[in-house]
Amino acid sequence: MQEHNEYIEVGRRVLVPFGKQKVITGIIFSIHQTPPKEYEAKYILDILDSQAIVLSSQLKLFEWVANYYLCTEGEVLKAALPSGLKLSSESIIQLNPDIEITDITLTEKEGYIVNALKQEDTLDYQQVSQLLGVKNVYKIIRSLANRHIILILEKINEKYKPKLVKKIRLSRQYTTEESLNQLFEALGKKQKQIDVLLNYLKLCKLEVNDKGILKTVLQKENISKSSLLTLVKNNVFEEFEVPISRLESYVQEDKNIKLSEEQTQAKEKIIASFEAEKTALLHGITGSGKTAIYISLIQEVISSGQTVLLMLPEIALTTQIVKRLRVHFGSKMAVYHSRFSDNERVEVWQGIVENKFDVIVGVRSSIFLPFSQLGLIIVDEEHDSSYKQYDPNPRYNARDTALVLGQMHHAKVLLGSATPSTESYFLSKIQNKWSYIPLMQRYGNAVLPKIELTKTHYFGKGNQYSKVLLSHIQNRLDKSEQIILFQNRRGYSPFLMCNHCQHIPKCVRCSVSLTYHQYHQELRCHYCGYKQDVPRKCSSCGSHEVHTVGQGTEKIEDDIKLRFPEAKISRMDLDTTRKKHSYEEIIQDFEEQKVNVLVGTQMVTKGLDFDNVSLVGVLGVDHMLFHPDFRSRERTFQLLTQVSGRAGRKEKAGKVIIQTNDPKLSLFSMVIKHDFNSFYQTELTERKTFHYPPFFRIIRLTVKNKDKGIGAYSAQQLAKELKKVYPERFVLGPEEPLIGKIRNYYLNEILLKIRRNDARTVSYKKAIKQSIEKVKKIKKLASSQIVIDVDPM
């Protein structure tokens, strides 16, 4: 509509009609004068912002993500915007003012609705349901709407609401000494009201009365709440609300970072690479002090008036690092991750738009924040698979996207890791496209831990603890030192099995066994969330001899408690960290040595720094190593190196015990010797031979269908179309993956390989979309869903 024209601006949110009833949030992407020819465009309903909340540079990034990862810009926008900035709509009803109801015959329930609407302007569906005492009210409402008795409208709910606090101040008529004296005389013998007034004057001087004081602060002064209420009613006090930030306020302690000689040299090399306009890879072993280098670089960048984005792979990592950073940057630093409420994330977003923050620490989604003065991007633990979005679209890699964001803002990019990804090592150390900066000495007097391999011993019912590990645990407990035990499986046991017929309970929706969780006494699917009670007998043969097989973190916690009753044990996995502050509480207890043994999954392997940990035990390494994935060796090497690095980070010598069924494997020898070069050379040789990254790019297409036959046929037809465009030897499949059914959908996968820097990459990606469209046009195959994953991890 023309009244909106002067407010139109790229990056502002608008309300857009979608279909007959729905209303959605849109972002103005571009402004032009050419209406679409294929359909009649609708007018926008309203403009929601007084200024752009999405910058043109962000829209440019969204467009790149959509093109590279083969998804829509709308899907990128949905992932990028905090939920609090997206409006929702719900249906409401009101009487039609243009119709006379007296002559219309109504049923009893219709009459109830009409009479209620005469009292209330509008009703939503839930209110109608409560009024009539029935759940399904759609048929009744549709009948009234079809006869034009009521109108069905959309009520728009703005999700973000500022946090308000109540304050108290004296009414302006009492802000002089003369008027105050008259007030005290008027109150006479009303001592409780006089006490309220005196306490207020003690807390707030007349010259700053307009600002008032928090109502809660005044109430803490042991005053009569009813007397305060009376004074407000009599207009002696005014009660008003003011918006405040949900983000905690911190005091900056101006602590200078002191770098060692090795750290200083590494920093100088990083700065030199930035001057040469190169991305830098900091390969710093565990405990080498990468964070101190980050802080020193951040201080230099923000002193020039620019902002810094520090990315971390997981929320668990933010706890300790944020504590260190707060000392240096105080409230000029913002944290952005999914454990924040929607409103908190909106306030961070708006704070960045208003340039309130110098440093932003965030996880994967922070790459989409509205940066305008970005000077440096640091991607810590750059190898970590958590930077990859798996589901839903966009299936982007935040590390790779950070490189593009850096180019768009002419910002410097620093990648850091103790175990760089094979691709990053190749681009920096082998091809010299990036600068490679090694930091191979631990900070201070710390030395790398000694790593020992031990054969796994079985003690019946899946208990797997070597005598060497148990002996070392007891030894460390006797010395009041701390221990980390790593097992990359949560739950009590991977599955239950019948002794008689070997039946294993499986998920009804996925082709996987159900994991036993003892604490909740349930079997649970870790893919779709399906749950069932623990069976008292085998559902196949009726036998009561059903036992657990293998061990997860829950069982290890239970076993260690039984074997070492004097030890205080805690567990850190997905099940124990669902609450907002769970990570902080577990880590703080371990830091303060309230806990002797920390049992955990991958969360305990990354970036955590504990002074008193002298022993790390690794259980169940073999199932990681022999997973059918070309990255399994790399992931195992990285995990073992990372978790080993949690031991002996200060003066105390560290020890790592790795349990395995095959100690002679060459990979373990490389881990023990901390031989990075041999590992990467071996890995790169194999990758080149079999056409895998970094020499080739991979695109995985997953065809999903609830009908197994239709799904398989769809995948065959898609592969047939792709082979018309791609070199046939670089189209692998279709094949059923290791887990062939998830959430009632049968899966088939096609793997496409594209030579790195192939000039035809763009046309190949275009061919994928065209091939999918051709297959979807076949009526029989239209029900198949096809998921595109570019650069799968």
Side-chain angles (χ1 to χ4, degrees):
M1 297 182 183
Q2 288 188 349
E3 64 262 29
H4 294 315
N5 286 355
E6 62 179 296
Y7 303 108
I8 293 292
E9 180 188 5
V10 170
R12 289 193 188 187
R13 291 178 304 159
V14 292
L15 279 184
V16 182
F18 194 76
K20 292 183 178 180
Q21 298 293 338
K22 200 158 181 65
V23 174
I24 62 172
T25 311
I27 296 287
I28 299 173
F29 182 78
S30 66
I31 301 169
H32 60 88
Q33 305 297 328
T34 309
K37 295 178 180 178
E38 298 82 6
Y39 60 91
E40 185 179 351
K42 295 180 180 179
Y43 287 105
I44 62 172
L45 300 175
D46 199 6
I47 297 175
L48 300 173
D49 304 305
S50 58
Q51 63 178 20
I53 64 158
V54 178
L55 308 181
S56 56
S57 58
Q58 283 177 281
L59 294 172
K60 188 178 177 183
L61 181 69
F62 297 168
E63 191 173 16
W64 178 87
V65 170
N67 289 333
Y68 185 84
Y69 291 102
L70 297 176
C71 60
T72 66
E73 288 165 34
E75 288 170 323
V76 182
L77 182 65
K78 187 176 179 181
L81 279 183
S83 297
L85 289 178
K86 291 176 278 192
L87 296 188
S88 64
S89 62
E90 62 180 25
S91 295
I92 57 173
I93 61 172
Q94 72 173 41
L95 288 175
N96 186 346
D98 297 327
I99 194 166
E100 184 60 50
I101 300 174
T102 52
D103 299 330
I104 299 175
T105 303
L106 300 171
T107 66
E108 183 181 8
K109 289 179 178 178
E110 289 173 343
Y112 284 145
I113 295 173
V114 169
N115 288 331
L117 287 172
K118 287 178 181 177
Q119 304 297 322
E120 301 285 343
D121 289 337
T122 62
L123 293 172
D124 62 33
Y125 280 35
Q126 186 176 1
Q127 289 171 322
V128 175
S129 178
Q130 290 171 349
L131 175 71
L132 301 181
V134 295
K135 287 186 177 180
N136 192 345
V137 296
Y138 299 101
K139 186 176 180 181
I140 302 167
I141 289 174
R142 188 165 61 248
S143 171
L144 289 169
N146 288 342
R147 287 179 287 162
H148 307 291
I149 298 169
I150 62 169
L151 301 175
I152 301 176
L153 307 169
E154 287 296 305
K155 176 185 176 184
I156 305 301
N157 294 322
E158 177 74 75
K159 289 187 179 180
Y160 172 69
K161 293 180 180 178
K163 185 177 181 180
L164 301 173
V165 292
K166 290 183 178 180
K167 298 187 86 173
I168 293 288
R169 65 186 170 200
L170 274 172
S171 297
R172 293 193 177 181
Q173 66 201 56
Y174 299 115
T175 53
T176 65
E177 287 190 19
E178 184 181 349
S179 59
L180 264 178
N181 290 331
Q182 291 173 357
L183 175 61
F184 276 115
E185 287 178 15
L187 291 175
K189 295 182 180 180
K190 297 174 182 176
Q191 190 57 47
K192 289 186 178 179
Q193 293 184 30
I194 291 172
D195 288 342
V196 173
L197 192 56
L198 288 171
N199 275 290
Y200 174 82
L201 293 170
K202 180 178 75 174
L203 296 168
C204 184
K205 295 179 180 179
L206 287 179
E207 52 264 32
V208 291
N209 178 69
D210 282 351
K211 293 182 180 178
I213 60 170
L214 291 172
K215 186 178 180 181
T216 53
V217 171
L218 183 57
Q219 288 173 336
K220 285 179 183 177
E221 295 295 314
N222 198 24
I223 62 168
S224 166
K225 292 183 181 178
S226 61
S227 296
L228 175 60
L229 185 62
T230 302
L231 290 169
V232 172
K233 284 183 179 177
N234 293 337
N235 295 321
V236 174
F237 281 116
E238 293 177 0
E239 190 175 296
F240 61 103
E241 290 182 326
V242 293
I244 62 165
S245 174
R246 289 180 173 84
L247 307 177
E248 293 182 53
S249 181
Y250 297 90
V251 177
Q252 179 180 352
E253 300 173 29
D254 191 17
K255 287 192 176 181
N256 293 321
I257 280 287
K258 292 182 180 179
L259 301 180
S260 67
E261 187 179 340
E262 292 80 11
Q263 289 173 319
T264 303
Q265 289 174 359
K267 179 187 169 184
E268 288 171 354
K269 289 177 182 177
I270 291 167
I271 292 171
S273 72
F274 289 164
E275 288 173 354
E277 297 188 348
K278 274 189 171 184
T279 294
L281 173 65
L282 176 61
H283 182 183
I285 60 171
T286 55
S288 58
K290 294 185 291 296
T291 305
I293 297 174
Y294 298 159
I295 293 171
S296 183
L297 288 167
I298 291 169
Q299 287 174 332
E300 291 192 14
V301 172
I302 65 176
S303 66
S304 67
Q306 295 178 300
T307 56
V308 177
L309 170 62
L310 170 57
M311 296 181 66
L312 302 169
E314 283 195 36
I315 301 164
L317 272 182
T318 64
T319 303
Q320 283 192 317
I321 291 181
V322 164
K323 276 186 182 179
R324 287 189 65 182
L325 294 173
R326 287 286 185 210
V327 171
H328 299 279
F329 307 112
S331 294
K332 282 292 185 179
M333 186 185 84
V335 181
Y336 190 83
H337 58 62
S338 60
R339 291 296 170 96
F340 272 23
S341 68
D342 287 338
N343 286 327
E344 285 172 320
R345 279 184 280 172
V346 170
E347 290 192 13
V348 172
W349 183 289
Q350 292 176 336
I352 294 170
V353 171
E354 295 164 8
N355 295 317
K356 288 182 179 178
F357 305 118
D358 294 331
V359 185
I360 293 88
V361 179
V363 291
R364 184 173 62 225
S365 58
S366 63
I367 201 75
F368 296 124
L369 287 167
F371 301 106
S372 58
Q373 297 175 329
L374 194 59
L376 173 64
I377 304 171
I378 300 172
V379 185
D380 193 27
E381 308 292 353
E382 65 83 25
H383 67 279
D384 201 289
S385 59
S386 298
Y387 283 122
K388 173 71 174 178
Q389 165 81 8
Y390 288 95
D391 202 45
N393 265 338
R395 293 174 174 82
Y396 67 101
N397 189 313
R399 176 201 61 195
D400 298 341
T401 308
L403 298 170
V404 176
L405 180 67
Q407 288 178 352
M408 289 180 176
H409 285 265
H410 304 289
K412 314 302 181 186
V413 180
L414 172 62
L415 309 178
S417 176
T419 52
S421 65
T422 304
E423 290 91 331
S424 296
Y425 183 90
F426 174 75
L427 288 170
S428 56
K429 188 75 183 289
I430 308 300
Q431 288 205 328
N432 295 316
K433 286 190 175 181
W434 301 344
S435 294
Y436 176 80
I437 296 105
L439 186 59
M440 296 297 162
Q441 186 171 326
R442 279 192 155 186
Y443 183 79
N445 300 318
V447 294
L448 287 168
K450 291 183 180 179
I451 301 174
E452 181 180 337
L453 297 176
T454 179
K455 192 94 171 175
T456 303
H457 293 273
Y458 295 89
F459 296 94
K461 292 190 177 180
N463 293 325
Q464 303 167 21
Y465 306 98
S466 76
K467 293 176 182 178
V468 174
L469 177 59
L470 296 174
S471 173
H472 275 283
I473 291 174
Q474 185 63 66
N475 177 266
R476 293 312 193 269
L477 290 174
D478 291 342
K479 294 179 180 179
S480 298
E481 295 173 358
Q482 290 174 292
I483 301 140
I484 291 177
L485 297 178
F486 165 62
Q487 165 64 289
N488 206 27
R489 280 178 173 160
R490 63 188 174 100
Y492 189 85
S493 175
F495 55 89
L496 297 181
M497 187 169 71
C498 173
N499 273 347
H500 282 259
C501 68
Q502 281 72 55
H503 171 74
I504 297 170
K506 290 184 171 61
C507 178
V508 297
R509 299 193 288 244
C510 309
S511 56
V512 293
S513 59
L514 294 170
T515 301
Y516 172 47
H517 288 254
Q518 187 185 52
Y519 182 78
H520 294 285
Q521 278 298 298
E522 65 186 15
L523 298 179
R524 191 185 305 166
C525 175
H526 289 173
Y527 284 85
C528 72
Y530 169 79
K531 301 174 185 177
Q532 69 177 51
D533 293 336
V534 177
R536 295 184 178 180
K537 60 182 180 180
C538 176
S539 60
S540 180
C541 71
S543 169
H544 289 272
E545 294 184 33
V546 178
H547 68 276
T548 61
V549 178
Q551 57 187 6
T553 49
E554 196 178 321
K555 187 174 193 301
I556 292 170
E557 179 189 24
D558 203 32
D559 288 346
I560 298 300
K561 282 179 180 177
L562 290 172
R563 290 175 181 274
F564 305 98
E566 77 281 9
K568 294 175 182 176
I569 300 160
S570 185
R571 173 164 53 95
M572 189 160 78
D573 56 25
L574 188 61
D575 299 312
T576 62
T577 57
R578 294 186 187 278
K579 294 180 181 178
K580 182 175 180 179
H581 298 292
S582 303
Y583 292 105
E584 289 93 326
E585 291 166 5
I586 294 170
I587 289 170
Q588 186 174 347
D589 285 348
F590 199 62
E591 274 184 329
E592 295 174 358
Q593 299 183 33
K594 295 176 182 177
V595 171
N596 307 117
V597 183
L598 180 62
V599 180
T601 54
Q602 288 189 42
M603 294 177 184
V604 302
T605 69
K606 305 169 186 177
L608 298 175
D609 190 357
F610 302 111
D611 294 354
N612 197 41
V613 173
S614 60
L615 177 65
V616 168
V618 181
L619 299 91
V621 68
D622 297 328
H623 76 271
M624 294 188 295
L625 186 56
F626 297 110
H627 189 76
D629 179 1
F630 76 93
R631 294 189 193 274
S632 60
R633 277 172 51 86
E634 179 182 12
R635 285 206 182 103
T636 305
F637 180 84
Q638 288 167 340
L639 273 170
L640 292 179
T641 303
Q642 290 281 350
V643 75
S644 298
R646 302 313 111 206
R649 294 177 73 89
K650 299 297 179 184
E651 287 77 18
K652 291 176 184 176
K655 183 81 174 179
V656 180
I657 307 291
I658 299 174
Q659 291 189 177
T660 176
N661 290 314
D662 192 355
K664 295 180 181 179
L665 284 174
S666 60
L667 180 80
F668 294 131
S669 174
M670 296 174 194
V671 171
I672 290 171
K673 295 175 183 176
H674 308 285
D675 190 353
F676 298 100
N677 288 330
S678 294
F679 169 76
Y680 287 117
Q681 291 299 333
T682 303
E683 197 69 12
L684 286 169
T685 300
E686 287 194 12
R687 300 273 186 96
K688 189 172 186 178
T689 302
F690 296 104
H691 303 145
Y692 280 104
F695 304 97
F696 279 74
R697 294 190 182 279
I698 289 178
I699 300 175
R700 182 170 61 208
L701 305 178
T702 304
V703 181
K704 305 163 66 174
N705 200 297
K706 290 187 175 182
D707 185 296
K708 189 174 184 178
I710 293 175
Y713 184 63
S714 299
Q716 290 166 7
Q717 292 300 111
L718 180 58
K720 187 178 177 181
E721 288 293 332
L722 290 166
K723 286 174 182 176
K724 294 176 183 177
V725 182
Y726 280 80
E728 189 165 334
R729 66 194 179 105
F730 293 149
V731 181
L732 308 182
E735 294 285 345
E736 185 178 320
L738 183 66
I739 299 170
K741 181 186 175 188
I742 296 178
R743 295 186 176 91
N744 288 325
Y745 281 90
Y746 293 93
L747 311 180
N748 285 274
E749 289 183 351
I750 300 169
L751 213 61
L752 305 176
K753 295 183 179 181
I754 306 172
R755 197 180 299 276
R756 179 176 282 276
N757 300 324
D758 192 323
R760 295 165 292 179
T761 300
V762 174
S763 62
Y764 281 155
K765 285 185 173 182
K766 188 177 179 181
I768 291 173
K769 287 189 172 182
Q770 291 172 342
S771 299
I772 290 172
E773 287 171 7
K774 283 184 181 179
V775 171
K776 296 285 278 184
K777 283 179 181 177
I778 301 172
K779 192 173 182 181
K780 181 183 175 183
L781 309 183
S783 61
S784 290
Q785 297 177 19
I786 301 172
V787 174
I788 308 171
D789 191 0
V790 178
D791 301 335
M793 292 287 284

